[in-house]
Amino acid sequence: MLTFTPEQRRRFAADIDGDYRPKTKKPIVLVGLMGSGKTALGKRLSVALSLPFVDSDAIIEEKSGLLIRNIFEISGEAKFREMEHKTILSNLKSSPVILSTGGGAFCNPKTRKAIKTHAISVWLDAKPTDLLHRIGNTSSRPLLNTGDSLQILSDLRQHRMADYQQAELHVRTGRHSLRLSMKKILNILEQYSYIEALSDKNGK
Ligand code: S3P
């Protein structure tokens, strides 16, 4: 679980309109390609709903003492997917959390099944050019360093689309500000009665 400094909390809270509380005990799991905003929005959602924030990539790095790109280099992608599956599974069955997953997690059939069974899945989607714009430096993303990053992202999006579409809720993050993306996520969660607003959307 990641803890935030008071300064981070203030910064995240500035992107949240209104007060909300969860109406479900299920974890909320963010899925989607690299650069779709899973981590940035997950942190803000955790502050908005006063739920712990966990990030599967961060847990894997912390537990193994290795960077994701080193795990890919040393042990290969299949081993990484196994570690990712175990990490996600162990966070689905504890108390409610906001869980941000690595981009390929929901494309692993057994991980996807576990998420769909135990959690509310939210797919964050954006065009490849917007994803790459947000990622910026690709050096920490091993899958993007084997050729033209934009082409790889386009191919991945096409290959993974059918998997991501199985997420329960879909939100386009595009090039929106974090504040606008937060509004969209909170609105859809409220619409599905997974959360409720405690004050009106203007924070009054
Ligand atoms: C991956 C996405 C990465 C990380 C790993 C593999 C993928 O996470 O898990 O490099 O398969 O799309 P982010 O989506 O958080 O960048």
Side-chain angles (χ1 to χ4, degrees):
M1 186 182 108
L2 271 180
T3 49
F4 307 129
T5 63
E7 167 49 27
Q8 282 175 315
R9 283 190 169 277
R10 262 195 301 279
R11 195 152 45 81
F12 299 157
D15 292 321
I16 304 159
D17 289 322
D19 295 317
Y20 297 84
R21 77 170 183 89
K23 287 176 74 183
T24 174
K25 295 226 177 309
K26 284 185 173 183
I28 298 175
V29 179
L30 303 181
V31 306
L33 277 172
M34 297 168 259
S36 57
K38 299 176 302 264
T39 303
L41 293 167
K43 288 176 178 172
R44 284 156 179 80
L45 204 50
S46 126
V47 168
L49 300 178
S50 301
L51 292 175
F53 174 72
V54 286
D55 179 310
S56 60
D57 281 349
I59 296 172
I60 292 169
E61 289 190 337
E62 195 185 307
K63 281 201 174 160
S64 65
L66 293 168
L67 297 173
I68 302 292
R69 67 162 185 267
N70 298 133
I71 301 176
F72 269 69
E73 275 162 22
I74 299 167
S75 311
E77 181 171 349
K79 175 70 186 165
F80 170 75
R81 296 297 169 204
E82 202 43 51
M83 295 162 89
E84 184 175 54
H85 177 74
K86 282 192 188 134
T87 304
I88 289 174
L89 203 62
S90 69
N91 279 284
L92 289 178
K93 294 179 180 168
S94 50
S95 44
V97 290
I98 305 298
L99 169 59
S100 164
T101 60
F106 203 63
C107 308
N108 175 341
K110 62 179 188 170
T111 307
R112 182 169 65 246
K113 185 166 177 229
I115 295 173
K116 283 172 65 73
T117 305
H118 299 288
I120 299 151
S121 47
V122 184
W123 172 32
L124 305 181
D125 187 34
K127 287 190 301 199
T129 43
D130 295 342
L131 296 167
L132 193 58
H133 175 82
R134 220 180 274 124
I135 293 168
N137 180 353
T138 59
S139 63
S140 64
R141 264 78 171 204
L143 293 181
L144 298 185
N145 289 323
T146 53
D148 176 66
S149 303
L150 185 59
Q151 189 58 51
I152 296 172
L153 273 173
S154 301
D155 293 346
L156 276 177
R157 186 162 177 270
Q158 213 167 348
H159 282 126
R160 292 177 171 180
M161 186 71 85
D163 295 331
Y164 291 143
Q165 275 170 342
Q166 294 180 51
E168 186 177 347
L169 308 178
H170 300 180
V171 175
R172 296 272 311 179
T173 52
R175 281 220 194 178
H176 303 325
S177 63
L178 287 166
R179 190 185 177 113
L180 179 54
S181 294
M182 275 308 294
K183 196 175 267 212
K184 288 176 139 198
I185 296 176
L186 290 165
N187 279 348
I188 197 165
L189 286 169
E190 191 184 5
Q191 204 182 310
Y192 278 73
S193 297
Y194 289 130
I195 64 171
E196 70 180 343
L198 298 175
S199 58
D200 78 29
K201 304 280 166 48
N202 299 316
K204 284 179 212 149

